[in-house]
Amino acid sequence: MPEPTPADFDFLVIGECVADIVRTPGHPDRPHPGGSPANVAHGLARLGRRTALLTQLGTDPYGELIRTHLEAGGTTVLTDGRDVPTPSAIVTLDPSGSGSYRFAIDWTLAPTAAAPRARHVHLGSLASVQEPGAAVARRLLRGARAAGATVSYDPNVRPDLFGERSAAVAAVEHCVALSDLVKASDEDLAFLYPGVPVRDSAARWLTLGPGTVVVTRGGDGAFALTPEGETRTDAPPTTVVDTVGAGDSFMSALLAALDTPRPGLDALTAALRTAAAAAAVTVSRAGANPPTAAELAARRADLA
């Protein structure tokens, strides 16, 4: 994305880290570094982008696992300086590889938290709605936007943690209005706006301020709305091991593929295809394991 001012990073991601403890009946538990914002940061770094993650992370074993994982992939990990328990989630996989979640997460980002300069800032998931840290995250987002950064947002809804729906909707829409590009799943929109057709909800978001609204639909691909029109992509064929982190891989590859968060339809279509290919790589292996730049290029070549 174009650089309006000198920046320390290409991308700054704000949000939670989570230790995903993957549980499959008949198999030992498998801990994986996770958390939607952390996954997006990791995906961007693996695609060669200078990326920082502003988060909360403990010095407990799960925290060390996550920090080591992120830093090994090239992400610069920044915290608010407090030693808090690392959030965790039990991810139970069904026979198809789809996951259900049980969380132990608090988001209490300190009001004194400071963000480095970045060309683009991404906010995701619980960090945008769970107080008291959400208010700090939104303040940092407004500050980055005022300083010339572009902004993206993925609500990545977790119904068990989003609290009362009307309050969650208000917080999500606040972030949508601050963003240039928004991505959500069809399940996210169905939770936030029950009974409303997904495309209608996406079209309404477009009127709140963003230039691009992208909706992922699992095996049915994805579509995007802009003031210029609509475009879509199919989901590439793949063998599903599990779906953990697929949406986050999609998000990071989409951001990495775009030169601007308000692209023309041709550029957006190409970026959607790249993002769908990244998600296909991730679901073909265990855990939130996004592709490297070389792996993504190879997958795109296979699909050409």
Side-chain angles (χ1 to χ4, degrees), residues 200-282:
D200 290 353
S201 297
R204 180 175 170 276
W205 275 8
L206 197 63
T207 69
L208 299 181
T212 305
V213 176
V214 176
V215 179
T216 57
R217 303 175 63 234
D220 293 324
F223 70 88
L225 304 180
T226 76
E228 184 182 356
E230 180 175 351
T231 186
R232 68 180 305 276
T233 189
D234 294 327
T238 192
T239 299
V240 177
V241 173
D242 69 51
T243 61
V244 176
D248 303 324
S249 287
F250 185 102
M251 184 82 248
S252 56
L254 179 68
L255 292 175
L258 291 174
D259 292 324
T260 169
R262 297 174 182 258
L265 284 179
D266 288 345
L268 183 55
T269 301
L272 286 179
R273 290 172 179 162
T274 297
V281 172
T282 297

Side-chain angles (χ1 to χ4, degrees), residues 108-293:
T108 59
L109 192 67
T112 55
R117 294 171 299 170
R119 294 189 291 122
H120 182 88
V121 178
H122 175 75
L123 176 64
S125 198
L126 302 174
S128 67
V129 299
Q130 192 175 86
E131 301 297 352
V136 179
R138 293 192 297 266
R139 173 179 60 78
L140 293 172
L141 206 68
R142 289 191 296 270
R145 189 175 181 86
T150 51
V151 171
S152 59
Y153 174 54
D154 177 3
N156 192 51
V157 171
R158 299 302 182 203
D160 291 345
L161 295 175
F162 264 50
E164 196 273 323
R165 181 182 282 109
S166 63
V169 168
V172 166
E173 291 184 353
H174 186 164
C175 296
V176 169
L178 289 171
S179 301
D180 298 286
L181 182 150
V182 180
K183 191 274 286 184
S185 70
D186 50 1
E187 293 178 344
D188 293 338
L189 292 172
F191 170 80
L192 293 168
Y193 309 105
V196 179
V198 165
R199 191 189 181 285
D200 290 353
S201 297
R204 180 175 170 276
W205 275 8
L206 197 63
T207 69
L208 299 181
T212 305
V213 176
V214 176
V215 179
T216 57
R217 303 175 63 234
D220 293 324
F223 70 88
L225 304 180
T226 76
E228 184 182 356
E230 180 175 351
T231 186
R232 68 180 305 276
T233 189
D234 294 327
T238 192
T239 299
V240 177
V241 173
D242 69 51
T243 61
V244 176
D248 303 324
S249 287
F250 185 102
M251 184 82 248
S252 56
L254 179 68
L255 292 175
L258 291 174
D259 292 324
T260 169
R262 297 174 182 258
L265 284 179
D266 288 345
L268 183 55
T269 301
L272 286 179
R273 290 172 179 162
T274 297
V281 172
T282 297
V283 301
S284 72
R285 52 202 192 190
N289 188 357
T292 63

